[in-house]
Amino acid sequence: MLNIPSHVGIVIDNCLEEINLKEKLLRNIFKVYDICSNIGINEVTFYGINNFYDEIAYGLILKGAKLLVVGNTESAYFPNELLQFAQGRTKGDGVKVNVLVNYSIIWDIDNKISSYNYKNNYNDERFEFVSSLDLIVVWNGKKELKRFLPLQTIKSNYYIEKQSFMNFEPLHIYNAIRYKCCKNIKYEANKA
């Protein structure tokens, strides 16, 4: 039996600027959510989304997601339509979903977002920040992660998918989980 990760980070490649890709982007994000929900993943963090924030947020909420938008709300670049989702996690009966919007490590450190989470200072689930990630799936063959949740990724496993996120297939998630599980098995074998 596979040890399903509790929290998966989804890093979408930066090829999503074209409006005509909107339906494909939305469909793929919702597919990722459905797969994670169906296999028992408790939390998903999306990073690298550049457009259509409001449609993504409302679509995830309709699916039951407990949504939290994390990012610099005081910046002029933060989308106004997402301010309500940055005030606390929405109620739902599904997977916790974090969407990083206008997020940067400097903002995170200056506001102690990661360290609040790290020290577990929040008891109110609405204001619970992003937990540690077990697995990060990166699309488009990128091997370098910049500006992505410094403390939450310290112990993460990474899976690099060569395909673009726009060519998402469910197998990408399943392969990433298998990779994480096999990597852990090999590590445990080497410890013995």
Side-chain angles (χ1 to χ4, degrees):
M1 185 169 127
L2 290 178
N3 184 15
I4 301 298
S6 179
H7 186 180
V8 175
I10 304 295
V11 180
I12 298 171
D13 52 315
N14 225 355
C15 65
L16 309 173
E17 299 297 331
E18 297 179 40
I19 290 290
N20 63 351
L21 298 177
K22 172 183 168 183
E23 293 306 317
K24 202 170 195 180
L25 169 67
L26 294 173
R27 185 174 58 245
N28 290 349
I29 286 173
F30 299 148
K31 277 185 194 173
V32 167
Y33 176 86
D34 288 340
I35 290 168
C36 291
S37 177
N38 289 336
I39 63 176
I41 291 170
N42 298 321
E43 188 170 0
V44 179
T45 295
F46 288 98
Y47 180 65
I49 300 169
N50 296 328
N51 291 311
F52 320 118
Y53 297 114
D54 55 335
E55 293 171 67
I56 292 165
Y58 285 108
L60 289 167
I61 289 170
L62 284 173
K63 288 184 166 289
K66 299 176 214 166
L67 179 70
L68 178 66
V69 173
V70 179
N72 183 358
T73 58
E74 295 176 6
S75 165
Y77 298 107
F78 193 90
N80 286 332
E81 63 270 17
L82 295 184
L83 283 171
Q84 63 182 321
F85 305 120
Q87 305 304 316
R89 195 174 294 284
T90 62
K91 294 182 190 259
D93 58 359
V95 174
K96 289 181 185 177
V97 175
N98 313 298
V99 178
L100 303 185
V101 177
N102 200 37
Y103 173 88
S104 74
I105 289 177
I106 293 172
W107 170 82
D108 187 325
I109 292 169
D110 285 349
N111 289 280
K112 299 180 177 70
I113 300 302
S114 288
S115 60
Y116 282 140
N117 173 69
Y118 195 70
K119 293 177 186 172
N120 244 341
N121 286 345
Y122 283 90
N123 294 324
D124 185 341
E125 188 176 300
R126 290 177 309 130
F127 295 98
E128 180 182 337
F129 284 102
V130 182
S131 66
S132 295
L133 285 112
D134 302 304
L135 174 64
I136 300 171
V137 185
V138 183
W139 270 266
N140 212 19
K142 293 183 180 182
K143 294 187 173 111
E144 184 179 327
L145 272 181
K146 293 181 181 176
R147 303 178 297 274
F148 187 70
L149 299 168
L151 290 178
Q152 290 89 339
T153 58
I154 289 173
K155 296 180 182 178
S156 302
N157 288 299
Y158 293 84
Y159 180 80
I160 310 298
E161 173 55 55
K162 293 179 184 173
Q163 296 286 323
S164 165
F165 187 74
M166 298 314 282
N167 298 321
F168 172 78
E169 296 175 19
L171 193 59
H172 297 164
I173 296 289
Y174 296 123
N175 285 343
I177 291 169
R178 271 192 220 99
Y179 170 79
K180 179 202 178 296
C181 294
C182 291
K183 186 174 181 180
N184 286 350
I185 290 166
K186 288 177 190 170
Y187 175 73
E188 291 298 325
N190 289 338
K191 283 175 66 177

